[in-house]
Amino acid sequence: MEKYKELVDFTLRYANIVVALGMFDGLHIGHQEIIRTAVRKAQEIKGTALVFSFANHPRSIIAPEHTPRRIAGDTMRLHILKNLGVDALVEIPFTTDFAETSADDFIRLLRQYFSPQYVVVGENYTFGYRGKGTPALLYAESMKYGFRLIVCASVMRDGAPVSSTRIRSLIEQGDLSQVNAYLGYPFTIIGTVIHGQARGRKLGFPTANLTLYEEYEHLPNGVYAVTVLYQEQIYRAVANIGNNPTFNGCDRRLEVHILEFKRDLYGAEIMISFYEKIRDEQRFSSVDDLIRQIAEDKERVERIFDKNFHLQENISMVI
């Protein structure tokens, strides 16, 4: 899959373009339906499936104080889009100047750079200055500009459309089961292992430490059953999100103890996928109590994956 950071004349590079439009934060099951529809249509007409989106959320320019945290990072987005069959991602910066683009000018932009055979959007898609552009406008202008419009209905779960906003709320609540169901893959963090304070190693449970960045959504503090992908191998692991209250606290971070793994991971990029919360983070009265609890956590993680052996298969969307 090719990736572009600026607009060029894509008609010189690709034939019979089908373009999916949207922000696609998190690439949840609703987004996946839009993109799969575009991919299927491109295959039908022996064309090219393109996704046109923005590198930053429009609110970061229009209303910075209301910019939502991101659900997934760039690496994750690329993995998922590639696995969905997308041929190219066009992801340009949303700037102050672009925010002034009218809905009519945005449609002309589509014609100029993509000349699409089909445009695929969700039913709640908006575009152009102050979001005045709607699927109805796209449909009204489709004959004039020579494309056909496909509007995908929202994917409904529990009586409401699946949306990035709903998923953010569920992440904050720690409802991991619903988060994973709405995403269509396990909630995942990709990061580089940093040096910690080596406490886990001294306790007999070495951990890989990752920084938690403010611009991304994170689950509540606690202990989780996770898998770790490292060098194309998947390992079972115990993850802790928190501040190490037993040792008087530290900056909030993600620590992962990988079962049956003894290699040095400092500086390595790993992918951590979350499946089930085991318990809340807690402060222990002694180090011995903490060690006993960690041993119990490991046993529980093993039981979770042994009982639900299919869980690790769900990661196929993101690798």
Side-chain angles (χ1 to χ4, degrees):
M1 185 183 75
E2 299 294 329
K3 181 178 179 181
Y4 300 89
K5 298 181 179 180
E6 60 184 4
L7 292 171
V8 298
D9 187 349
F10 293 104
T11 64
L12 300 177
R13 307 182 185 195
Y14 302 107
N16 296 330
I17 291 174
V18 178
V19 60
L21 303 176
M23 190 59 215
F24 302 127
D25 182 24
L27 283 167
H28 54 64
I29 56 177
H31 295 152
Q32 291 170 36
E33 181 59 28
I34 294 169
I35 293 167
R36 286 194 178 99
T37 298
V39 170
R40 285 195 299 267
K41 184 55 66 175
Q43 292 170 345
E44 286 178 14
I45 65 173
K46 295 181 172 53
T48 307
L50 272 68
V51 169
F52 180 28
S53 188
F54 298 110
N56 54 309
H57 199 287
R59 286 188 199 167
S60 66
I61 299 299
I62 298 169
E65 67 278 11
H66 298 299
T67 304
R69 291 190 177 95
R70 299 180 65 181
I71 296 172
D74 293 337
T75 302
M76 279 283 295
R77 286 163 61 84
L78 291 174
H79 277 305
I80 297 170
L81 290 171
K82 181 178 179 181
N83 286 337
L84 288 171
V86 172
D87 296 303
L89 168 64
V90 182
E91 197 172 57
I92 65 173
F94 190 90
T95 63
T96 303
D97 287 341
F98 199 93
E100 299 295 322
T101 303
S102 70
D104 289 335
D105 283 343
F106 183 83
I107 297 173
R108 282 190 282 271
L109 175 152
L110 290 178
R111 173 63 180 173
Q112 177 183 352
Y113 292 104
F114 298 93
S115 190
Q117 299 297 307
Y118 288 85
V119 173
V120 185
V121 299
E123 62 182 353
N124 296 318
Y125 177 70
T126 60
F127 60 94
Y129 182 66
R130 294 188 175 178
K132 292 182 178 179
T134 64
L137 178 60
L138 279 172
Y139 179 76
E141 296 295 310
S142 61
M143 294 299 293
K144 174 181 176 181
Y145 288 100
F147 64 84
R148 295 183 181 181
L149 177 68
I150 300 175
V151 180
C152 297
S154 298
V155 173
M156 306 294 288
R157 290 291 185 275
D158 303 311
V162 172
S163 68
S164 299
T165 300
R166 284 186 74 189
I167 292 172
R168 290 189 193 97
S169 177
L170 291 167
I171 293 171
E172 292 173 3
Q173 296 168 30
D175 191 343
L176 187 54
S177 175
Q178 290 287 71
V179 168
N180 289 354
Y182 290 2
L183 286 175
Y185 58 89
F187 179 73
T188 297
I189 293 174
I190 298 176
T192 301
V193 178
I194 61 172
H195 285 276
Q197 295 172 310
R199 287 200 182 106
R201 187 175 302 278
K202 294 174 183 177
L203 297 175
F205 303 98
T207 61
N209 297 269
L210 279 76
T211 299
L212 295 174
Y213 295 102
E214 284 297 319
E215 62 263 36
Y216 291 97
E217 291 287 355
H218 298 297
L219 292 162
N221 288 1
V223 179
Y224 296 85
V226 304
T227 57
V228 173
L229 177 68
Y230 172 64
Q231 292 186 344
E232 300 183 355
Q233 293 293 319
I234 298 175
Y235 302 90
R236 301 176 178 188
V238 183
N240 180 79
I241 297 177
N243 308 86
N244 285 328
T246 302
F247 297 99
N248 298 318
C250 65
D251 292 337
R252 189 168 187 254
R253 66 182 61 181
L254 169 59
E255 299 177 277
V256 185
H257 172 65
I258 307 174
L259 279 57
E260 300 178 356
F261 187 91
K262 297 181 179 180
R263 297 171 63 180
D264 185 347
L265 289 175
Y266 291 126
E269 183 177 83
I270 62 175
M271 185 170 77
I272 303 166
S273 296
F274 292 75
Y275 292 90
E276 186 173 321
K277 186 175 182 179
I278 297 175
R279 60 176 175 85
D280 292 333
E281 185 182 43
Q282 60 190 101
R283 182 185 182 94
F284 293 91
S285 57
S286 71
V287 172
D288 288 340
D289 286 344
L290 173 59
I291 291 173
R292 280 191 290 271
Q293 183 61 61
I294 295 174
E296 291 179 13
D297 294 340
K298 287 182 61 177
E299 291 178 2
R300 184 168 177 186
V301 165
E302 289 172 344
R303 290 196 300 271
I304 287 170
F305 283 112
D306 287 342
K307 183 178 179 181
N308 303 284
F309 61 90
H310 64 283
L311 285 178
Q312 289 172 240
E313 298 174 359
N314 294 340
I315 203 173
S316 60
M317 176 64 75
V318 295
I319 62 175

